Amino acid sequence: PFFCYEFHKHITARDKISYEHFYDVLMRSPVNTNCKTIHHMTKEDLFIYTLLHFYKHFVGGGAGIRFLLDLYFVDRALFDEIDKAEVFNTLRKMNLYCFYKKMKSLAYKMFGDEEKLEINEGEGLICKYMYMQGCFGSDSGGVLDSVKRKSQDSQHFKYFYYIWFKYFYQERRYRNYPILKKSYVLLPLCFIHRIMKCATVDRKKVKKDYKSFLNYESFVDSVFLELDL
């Protein structure tokens, strides 16, 4: 006997209603009639999970058009088969119902029979944001999400949080140090070098990048406001 399943481990925090909802998802997933080792999520859970996964990427670094297309196909395939009262009630508890309604409207305008309908200004803003995010999000989106979470209680340290997440936090920032391939223990020295470089040689560039970051933050805030996030 064997057991294998694929599920997004960090899709939601433990203190969220969405975590409680999917905590026992396996127990309520019916067994495949032809194979007792295979479980299938209920249509309602699949519907909710698809939207929750979309939302997780959208607010946590960005989500590209692929996620909107996922929503379109899942909604078109399952909408008439799910228990709508159960699904919509769950989405309201998770504060995702408004997000779902607006994204569904946009998805059907872009990919469905309603494609001839004009996309309004707010939807155009959302499209612009999603086009900027690639498929699973962008570096800029990831940095912004990290800075927002860390600076919620202290805006005074926002600039320093930006520098940390932009230039130091991610391991790939150190890939231009070939010496690390031979001796990774030298990472602290590379770290110190980056600090000195940001404080001296790249000081103007860092300030210019931060101004661009603030403009990007303002744009993202307007998108989130459009979605009541």
Side-chain angles (χ1 to χ4, degrees):
F2 65 92
F3 185 74
C4 180
Y5 68 96
E6 183 179 349
F7 203 70
H8 203 311
K9 187 177 180 181
H10 301 294
I11 194 170
T12 183
R14 289 176 177 268
D15 60 342
K16 300 294 185 181
I17 295 176
S18 48
Y19 180 87
E20 296 178 5
H21 179 81
F22 285 106
Y23 181 78
D24 59 348
V25 64
L26 181 64
M27 302 303 295
R28 62 173 182 269
S29 297
V31 178
N32 188 296
T33 54
N34 298 321
C35 182
K36 300 302 181 181
T37 60
I38 297 179
H39 289 249
H40 296 284
M41 293 175 70
T42 64
K43 293 177 180 178
E44 288 76 17
D45 280 337
L46 176 59
F47 193 94
I48 295 169
Y49 181 82
T50 299
L51 187 68
L52 182 62
H53 189 211
F54 182 6
Y55 173 81
K56 184 259 182 186
H57 279 277
F58 192 91
V59 301
I65 297 298
R66 198 214 78 171
F67 283 92
L68 195 64
L69 192 58
D70 285 346
L71 175 61
Y72 169 72
F73 281 120
V74 169
D75 188 89
R76 203 173 78 166
L78 300 180
F79 188 77
D80 293 332
E81 301 179 23
I82 59 174
D83 183 334
K84 298 178 184 59
E86 175 189 339
V87 170
F88 292 165
N89 184 49
T90 302
L91 292 180
R92 288 189 178 95
K93 289 180 179 178
M94 295 180 181
N95 294 321
L96 292 178
Y97 185 71
C98 179
F99 180 80
Y100 162 67
K101 294 294 289 184
K102 291 192 175 184
M103 285 303 186
K104 176 180 177 177
S105 173
L106 179 58
Y108 275 81
K109 285 182 179 180
M110 292 185 67
F111 309 119
D113 297 332
E114 301 177 20
E115 59 184 355
K116 293 183 180 180
L117 294 179
E118 184 177 352
I119 293 176
N120 61 44
E121 183 177 350
E123 291 170 335
L125 200 65
I126 297 170
C127 282
K128 180 180 179 180
Y129 172 69
M130 296 185 74
Y131 277 125
M132 292 169 62
Q133 302 311 310
C135 186
F136 294 106
S138 63
D139 278 354
S140 298
V143 170
L144 175 59
D145 178 59
S146 299
V147 172
K148 276 182 172 293
R149 284 188 283 108
K150 284 293 185 180
S151 61
Q152 282 180 344
D153 302 323
S154 180
Q155 291 292 315
H156 300 292
F157 295 101
K158 186 174 185 178
Y159 179 64
F160 298 100
Y161 284 130
Y162 166 77
I163 292 177
W164 169 250
F165 287 110
K166 173 69 174 178
Y167 299 104
F168 296 97
Y169 180 70
Q170 296 171 319
E171 186 179 358
R172 64 175 176 272
R173 305 296 183 199
Y174 302 92
R175 288 177 183 170
N176 59 340
Y177 292 96
I179 194 172
L180 292 181
K181 295 180 180 179
K182 297 181 179 180
S183 183
Y184 201 75
V185 295
L186 295 177
L187 178 62
L189 295 179
C190 298
F191 186 85
I192 294 172
H193 174 261
R194 288 187 69 82
I195 293 177
M196 298 303 295
K197 190 179 180 186
C198 285
T200 56
V201 180
D202 291 340
R203 177 185 289 184
K204 291 184 178 180
K205 181 180 183 303
V206 171
K207 289 185 176 181
K208 182 179 179 180
D209 287 347
Y210 184 63
K211 288 182 179 179
S212 298
F213 168 79
L214 293 178
N215 291 333
Y216 176 73
E217 180 184 29
S218 177
F219 167 69
V220 174
D221 286 343
S222 67
V223 174
F224 285 11
L225 183 64
E226 181 65 28
L227 290 165
D228 297 327
L229 299 179

